Amino acid sequence: MAAAKKSAKKAAKKAAPKKAAAKKAPAKKAAPAKKAAVKKAAPAKKAAVKKAPAKKAAKRTPNAAFMKALTPSSELAAVVGDKPLPRTEVVKKLWLYIKKHGLQDAKNKRNINADDKLKAVFGGKKTVSMFEMTSLVSKHLS
């Protein structure tokens, strides 16, 4: 009887690992299938994101304040001309004058070295930053 119990225990031990191995194998196969499903879902979300920027934006209308023609003062007229121009065109013509005469500082490109015509516009300053230039020019427009 003792021999029968031992053989039954051995048989149970041998059967138990086989059952556990059988249970683990399908679980491992199921896990990669879930990862594949996640990978398939991710590109679908990216495709939806790409469609969002495809919407056309409304066409911008110009600001009337920028497009209003202003008459330059006599000092500014020596640089940009005496015809009434919008503020944007005045700044463009100033930059053309600055680049044509090489008045932009070589070391610090944000600074403009004024010649005689621009000194009158800049209020007698020899060097002006490009950000300060627009405020100084606006005083010469009416």
Side-chain angles (χ1 to χ4, degrees):
M1 204 168 164
K5 286 183 181 179
K6 286 183 181 178
S7 63
K9 285 183 181 178
K10 286 182 182 178
K13 285 182 181 178
K14 287 182 181 177
K18 287 181 183 177
K19 287 180 183 177
K23 288 180 182 178
K24 288 182 182 177
K28 288 182 181 179
K29 289 180 182 177
K34 289 180 182 178
K35 288 181 181 177
V38 172
K39 288 181 182 177
K40 289 179 181 176
K45 290 179 182 178
K46 289 181 182 177
V49 172
K50 289 180 183 177
K51 291 179 182 178
K55 294 179 182 178
K56 292 185 179 178
K59 192 172 182 180
R60 290 179 52 166
T61 57
N63 188 345
F66 284 123
M67 302 313 288
K68 182 181 176 185
L70 300 169
T71 308
S73 67
S74 59
E75 294 91 4
L76 187 58
V79 178
V80 298
D82 59 347
K83 293 182 181 179
L85 294 167
R87 192 178 302 271
T88 55
E89 291 297 318
V90 171
V91 174
K92 282 182 185 179
K93 288 194 176 204
L94 266 173
W95 274 107
L96 287 173
Y97 180 84
I98 290 166
K99 294 205 179 200
K100 181 181 176 183
H101 292 92
L103 300 176
Q104 200 169 2
D105 192 33
K107 290 181 182 177
N108 188 355
K109 299 279 185 182
R110 289 180 284 184
N111 289 340
I112 297 147
N113 301 322
D115 61 354
D116 294 333
K117 288 182 181 179
L118 283 180
K119 269 189 186 178
V121 175
F122 295 158
K125 291 185 177 182
K126 187 176 182 179
T127 304
V128 175
S129 74
M130 65 172 64
F131 306 110
E132 188 181 4
M133 177 184 75
T134 54
S135 65
L136 293 171
V137 168
S138 67
K139 294 175 184 176
H140 293 274
L141 295 170
S142 58

